Amino acid sequence: MIVTSREAWTGRVLLVLLMAFTIVPFISLFVTALHPSGTYPSGIQWPQDPQWGNFGRAFTSANMGELLWSSGLIVLGVVPAALVLGTMAGFAFGHLRVPGHRIGFFAFVLGLTLPFEGIITPLYYQVRDMGLLNTRWAIILPLLGLFMPFSVIWMRAHFAGMPNDLSEAARIDGASTWQLFWRVHVPLARPAISALGILLFLWTWNQFLLAIVLVDDPAKRTMAGALGAFQGQYGTDIPLLCAGSLLILAPTVIVFVIFQRQFTAALLQGALKG
Amino acid sequence: MASPLTSVRSDTAPPPPVPTSRRRARRARRPGAWLGWLFAAPAVVVYAVFVLRPLLLTVQYSFYQWNGIGASTWVGLDNYRRVVTDPELYGSILNAFELIVFFSFIPVILGLLVAATIRRIAESRLAVVARTVLFLPQVIPLVSAGIIWTWLLSSRGLVNQLLDLIGLGGTTRAWLGDFDTALPAVGVIGAWVLLGLCTLLLLAGMSKIDPGQYEAARIDGAGAIREFFSITLPSLRAEISVCITLTVIAALASFDIIYISTQGGPGGSTMVPGLQIFYLAFSDRRIGAASALAVALVVLVLVVVIPIQRLAKDNTA
């Protein structure tokens, strides 16, 4: 490729600027979190006496231990089930091409752009009538439904791309549809399933609206939902609020850094595919 | 948050579809084809119970006046009339459209410019690091983005500190608390969240363009600008439409950022439909009005998004 050095340098400068725009807010948050609790520091300013203890205090007052446990439970309730249901339906629509699969698929496409606010009011009354208000099920079950359009369409796209010869060979060997699914196609779909799992984890962990509407007790919410309550409580104590926010966003960042490659690929594909 | 749409040429994209008639002939003969629905049934059930049913109920509620507890009264289109005449309600919709400028136009246009400029160094170490860094706002909860920027935009925050530094001390203010600046300030938060994603999506799209095209253009004497308009832009139609779709939905359906940073204030200047629905339904107990606005929001998203999808399809089909 022809790259003049002037072009390469403009590229580098622009990239660094963009990275600075992304990262400086985090630095400001971090530096502010180190100021003495109750003070009102300004902008980016390294404190004379960094208060590392703020993180400990925020950890206790935000009930972080309990929150991690709660969010973990919600993720465990949503992600595996959504993966199983989405994969099975994607297989039915994308590979088995059951009669009427176009209509079924279209019904899911409709849900793809649906804003959660569009159904939150009746969802509240429905969850209340089911007696699930203020339980983690109030977040888990609706999220399962809300994630179905994306999950089904994502998995359908994968299965539609699988060659038919593969299934025909398995059929000739006497495989039932279930064996065909479980023994042949699920193992081959592992990359698509794990990418979907990463996205679903992220969206569950960060879910806010359902958490604040359907669950009053912050200790039974998702991480993001609990952060809203923490802000209400410590809105005026800026350093402590910053420390708490950092603690609450840390798990996603840590998971992101560990699975960085898979995350990036999943996020890019997730936006493009469907 | 992401809610993704088109299928795009990519390594994993399905192969071109087999003509339907042939496929149908091959499939229909297998006995028990209907049994395949057993695979789809669980997904269909949770979707029907927790999405489709509430969606239909939203439509039903929108024709009633109801406080959530007592009896409900049929009011016909009254709630909808209110959506278009009550400045509190249609104002929130107008605000959402203004947010599109920040959530959508700025990230897409800036993303295009940045991606086109850094395309040539996309394989460098710096660019690889950037891929990680630029995704950070996508990974953290939007609530955190709201808290971070509430602090940055506050009267003693970093933004004002920088303005002071470059001699613009006169313009400093509490950006989120000022009637004139609150909405653009909220918009900046959205732009921060979405810029990295758009840049990386567009960059990924550019990496699929045959480098030979660029070489040929260079040999023909095209400059960077000419190259951008005759090669890059037309090849990116699908990616651009994905970016616009994602960001427009993020603007119209925004909730988390605004709930945290301004709660719709000051004086409703940052009120958006999502937040308004939340207040109407759960603070004011005006279920009918909340539902009518919810229906309007759903329709609005579809009306805006479907044409964008069409535009993208024309090219890739």
Side-chain angles (χ1 to χ4, degrees):
Chain A
M1 202 181 290
I2 307 166
V3 184
T4 67
S5 71
R6 192 173 54 113
E7 279 168 345
W9 276 107
T10 353
R12 274 180 211 130
V13 170
L14 214 56
L15 202 52
V16 170
L17 282 177
L18 193 62
M19 281 162 69
F21 177 60
T22 308
I23 213 128
V24 165
F26 288 99
I27 297 173
S28 169
L29 192 72
F30 177 69
V31 173
T32 310
L34 293 176
H35 282 262
S37 160
T39 57
Y40 198 48
S42 72
I44 287 194
Q45 193 184 56
W46 189 256
Q48 288 176 326
D49 175 24
Q51 306 281 312
W52 296 97
N54 280 352
F55 289 105
R57 285 187 50 202
F59 192 95
T60 343
S61 46
N63 257 333
M64 279 289 291
E66 214 175 329
L67 280 184
L68 282 167
W69 172 243
S70 174
S71 304
L73 282 179
I74 292 173
V75 164
L76 276 179
V78 173
V79 177
L83 289 180
V84 171
L85 300 192
T87 306
M88 284 173 55
F91 180 68
F93 292 149
H95 198 78
L96 296 177
R97 296 184 182 277
V98 293
H101 67 90
R102 266 158 225 281
I103 298 166
F105 178 63
F106 181 73
F108 282 107
V109 169
L110 263 187
L112 213 50
T113 59
L114 183 75
F116 287 17
E117 299 101 320
I119 61 167
I120 191 70
T121 315
L123 206 52
Y124 172 84
Y125 291 103
Q126 179 171 322
V127 166
R128 188 194 64 180
D129 294 343
M130 291 170 130
L132 298 175
L133 222 50
N134 294 326
T135 66
R136 294 192 185 93
W137 292 109
I139 301 175
I140 294 172
L141 294 174
L143 273 189
L144 266 180
L146 284 160
F147 288 161
M148 268 315 113
F150 182 78
S151 311
V152 171
I153 287 160
W154 171 277
M155 290 314 300
R156 192 202 82 111
H158 164 82
F159 286 120
M162 298 305 284
N164 262 323
D165 304 350
L166 196 71
S167 307
E168 268 151 32
R171 294 252 187 223
I172 290 166
D173 288 344
S176 67
T177 309
W178 176 255
Q179 284 169 328
L180 178 69
F181 171 68
W182 192 243
R183 292 280 212 28
V184 179
H185 281 284
V186 168
L188 288 172
R190 271 178 56 187
I193 295 175
S194 51
L196 178 61
I198 286 173
L199 292 175
L200 294 178
F201 158 74
L202 200 62
W203 295 338
T204 307
W205 193 268
N206 292 346
Q207 177 54 42
F208 181 63
L209 177 65
L210 291 187
I212 60 164
V213 169
L214 301 172
V215 177
D216 272 338
D217 180 358
K220 286 185 193 160
R221 288 178 179 170
T222 59
M223 219 52 165
L227 185 54
F230 189 71
Q231 192 225 19
Q233 218 175 329
Y234 292 91
T236 49
D237 191 338
I238 303 287
L240 209 59
L241 179 65
C242 289
S245 311
L246 271 175
L247 287 180
I248 282 180
L249 66 82
T252 49
V253 173
I254 291 169
V255 174
F256 171 63
V257 170
I258 295 172
F259 296 105
Q260 197 238 108
R261 262 166 212 285
Q262 292 90 328
F263 253 91
T264 315
L267 276 169
L268 281 177
Q269 276 183 49
L272 286 172
K273 241 179 27 172
Chain B
M1 64 156 279
S3 143
L5 293 147
T6 8
S7 68
V8 152
R9 324 141 274 143
S10 75
D11 313 331
T12 44
V18 184
T20 344
S21 53
R22 223 179 78 205
R23 184 194 288 153
R24 197 166 286 159
R26 199 198 313 152
R27 294 269 156 194
R29 262 178 254 123
R30 189 181 323 124
W34 283 97
L35 282 179
W37 272 98
L38 288 179
F39 280 88
V44 172
V45 170
V46 286
Y47 180 56
V49 172
F50 289 99
V51 179
L52 294 182
R53 182 176 181 270
L55 190 59
L56 292 175
L57 282 175
T58 304
V59 177
Q60 191 198 339
Y61 290 176
S62 72
F63 297 112
Y64 287 85
Q65 196 174 48
W66 186 37
N67 62 10
I69 304 158
S72 52
T73 337
W74 170 267
V75 292
L77 290 173
D78 241 30
N79 289 320
Y80 289 97
R81 209 165 293 136
R82 215 162 281 158
V83 170
V84 289
T85 54
D86 185 342
E88 244 186 38
L89 300 186
Y90 72 75
S92 71
I93 295 177
L94 294 182
N95 285 343
F97 272 97
E98 208 174 318
L99 281 185
I100 289 180
V101 175
F102 292 92
F103 280 55
S104 190
F105 289 6
I106 292 179
V108 173
I109 291 171
L110 220 55
L112 266 173
L113 291 178
V114 174
T117 316
I118 62 183
R119 173 181 63 82
R120 293 186 193 79
I121 56 161
E123 302 304 321
S124 69
R125 278 264 299 271
L126 181 68
V128 174
V129 175
R131 277 172 85 90
T132 309
V133 171
L134 297 184
F135 266 126
L136 276 180
Q138 281 297 309
V139 175
I140 62 167
L142 281 174
V143 180
S144 309
I147 290 184
I148 294 176
W149 279 89
T150 306
W151 166 233
L152 291 179
L153 292 163
S154 69
S155 52
R156 300 198 58 182
L158 181 64
V159 172
N160 284 337
Q161 198 183 24
L162 289 177
L163 285 173
D164 268 333
L165 208 69
I166 56 171
L168 288 172
T171 60
T172 59
R173 69 193 77 195
W175 296 92
L176 289 161
D178 189 304
F179 275 89
D180 298 324
T181 58
L183 194 60
V186 167
V188 167
I189 308 178
W192 179 76
V193 171
L194 294 161
L195 177 59
L197 179 71
C198 284
T199 307
L200 293 174
L201 267 170
L202 295 167
L203 205 54
M206 285 178 194
S207 70
K208 285 179 217 140
I209 302 173
D210 174 18
Q213 281 195 49
Y214 286 112
E215 309 245 347
R218 282 287 151 119
I219 290 162
D220 288 348
I225 294 171
R226 183 68 194 276
E227 202 179 71
F228 176 76
F229 281 104
S230 1
I231 302 174
T232 311
L233 209 52
S235 318
L236 286 181
R237 239 168 112 159
E239 281 82 4
I240 292 171
S241 93
V242 170
C243 283
I244 297 178
T245 308
L246 286 174
T247 52
V248 163
I249 294 178
L252 291 178
S254 51
F255 178 85
D256 307 25
I257 290 176
I258 297 171
Y259 179 91
I260 290 294
S261 61
T262 65
Q263 310 249 308
S269 56
T270 57
M271 187 57 80
V272 287
L275 195 58
Q276 186 71 267
I277 292 166
F278 174 79
Y279 285 143
L280 285 173
F282 302 108
S283 310
D284 305 351
R285 300 262 155 206
R286 288 165 60 194
I287 311 298
S291 302
L293 189 58
V295 172
L297 175 63
V298 172
V299 171
L300 213 61
V301 169
L302 288 177
V303 165
V304 175
V305 162
I306 289 172
I308 304 172
Q309 295 298 305
R310 281 273 158 80
L311 273 178
K313 285 242 166 76
D314 282 351
N315 199 37
T316 46

